[in-house]
Amino acid sequence: MENKICVLSTKKLQSNQKQFLLNAGFSVIEADFIKISTLPFQIKNKPTLLLFTSQNGVKSVLENDKVDELKQIPSICVGSKTRKLLEDNGFIVLATKEYAEELAPIIQKEFSKEHIAFFAGNLRRNVLPDAMNRASIAFDEYLVYQNEESSVKIEAKTNALLFFSPSGIHSYLKQNTIDNQMCFCIGTTTADALQGVTKNIVIANQQTVENVIIQCISYYNNKQYCHSEHNEMK
């Protein structure tokens, strides 16, 4: 690339994730636009199934003094990364989907007789609670982490923005604008938060940080290839 593409990640990346972008010839700015805090909680009724929608929920449960008891109860979750974190820590996962909308009908069909413990954050969506209520499934919801905006003013000129949640977008827009930058989003829910803001959106194939990075690199590599091919044809 003649001029380095400047990528802003709206969450701090792991060193290997950042290196992937650097190796591809990008310059990288990173800042945490969201602050996550785990919250203490107490189990009210003994569940027969655990429901997680994010890695943050898993991390909070791992800090709970009843975690060894909870590990004896099977789980279902949203996201492959959430599943990996659960299984790496000794939980048994019965079902996983990348989106809550995909998991909802499975809960209604296969787990309607369970008593579910739903571990959520303060910004959780209504998709799964509404689905469980419609099917008259017994569940207790636990607020186990807090998601707070931590907006940062970015002075540098950026070409690409990496977004990992709707709240990250809202936090970014508090002090920054989206002009002609390409926005790479971890999923459709995140991309929906850009409606009316920009049409320059690429959505990851998988809801992982790594895939967002891959989409970014692939986009600019293809753009460079097309530009070079066009020049050669002149």
Side-chain angles (χ1 to χ4, degrees), residues 21-194:
L21 286 163
L22 294 173
N23 289 347
F26 296 92
S27 63
V28 180
I29 302 170
E30 50 186 340
D32 285 325
F33 279 79
I34 294 297
K35 180 183 177 185
I36 303 293
S37 307
T38 57
L39 300 174
F41 66 93
Q42 289 187 330
I43 296 293
K44 293 178 283 190
N45 303 297
K46 186 173 181 180
T48 59
L49 186 69
L50 311 180
L51 172 57
F52 297 89
T53 56
S54 74
Q55 295 177 74
N56 293 318
V58 179
K59 290 171 184 175
S60 182
V61 168
L62 290 172
E63 294 177 4
N64 192 272
D65 58 2
K66 300 291 186 184
V67 63
D68 289 336
E69 294 175 30
L70 291 171
K71 285 182 183 181
Q72 307 306 311
I73 301 167
S75 307
I76 56 176
C77 69
V78 175
S80 56
K81 289 283 189 177
T82 307
R83 179 173 190 139
K84 184 176 188 310
L85 185 59
L86 284 165
E87 291 180 336
D88 285 350
N89 284 280
F91 289 84
I92 297 170
V93 182
L94 302 180
T96 311
K97 288 292 180 183
E98 287 303 306
Y99 290 96
E101 289 83 356
E102 297 171 333
L103 189 61
I106 293 174
I107 294 173
Q108 292 173 325
K109 183 178 179 181
E110 298 182 22
F111 303 105
S112 61
K113 305 302 182 186
E114 306 292 345
H115 190 118
I116 298 174
F118 173 35
F119 301 108
N122 61 310
L123 299 181
R124 71 110 172 105
R125 296 160 63 226
N126 294 325
V127 174
L128 295 179
D130 286 354
M132 290 187 284
N133 283 325
R134 283 196 301 272
S136 299
I137 298 171
F139 73 96
D140 296 309
E141 181 175 339
Y142 299 95
L143 182 65
V144 299
Y145 67 94
Q146 184 83 13
N147 187 317
E148 299 175 31
E149 293 180 1
S150 179
S151 192
V152 180
K153 176 67 176 172
I154 303 298
E155 301 292 350
K157 178 175 170 53
T158 57
N159 305 101
L161 307 173
L162 310 186
F163 290 117
F164 306 98
S165 68
S167 52
I169 291 173
H170 299 149
S171 180
Y172 174 83
L173 289 173
K174 278 195 169 180
Q175 295 195 63
N176 306 279
T177 59
I178 298 175
D179 302 311
N180 297 317
Q181 299 103 319
M182 285 301 303
C183 299
F184 299 87
C185 298
I186 199 166
T188 55
T189 306
T190 300
D192 287 345
L194 290 171

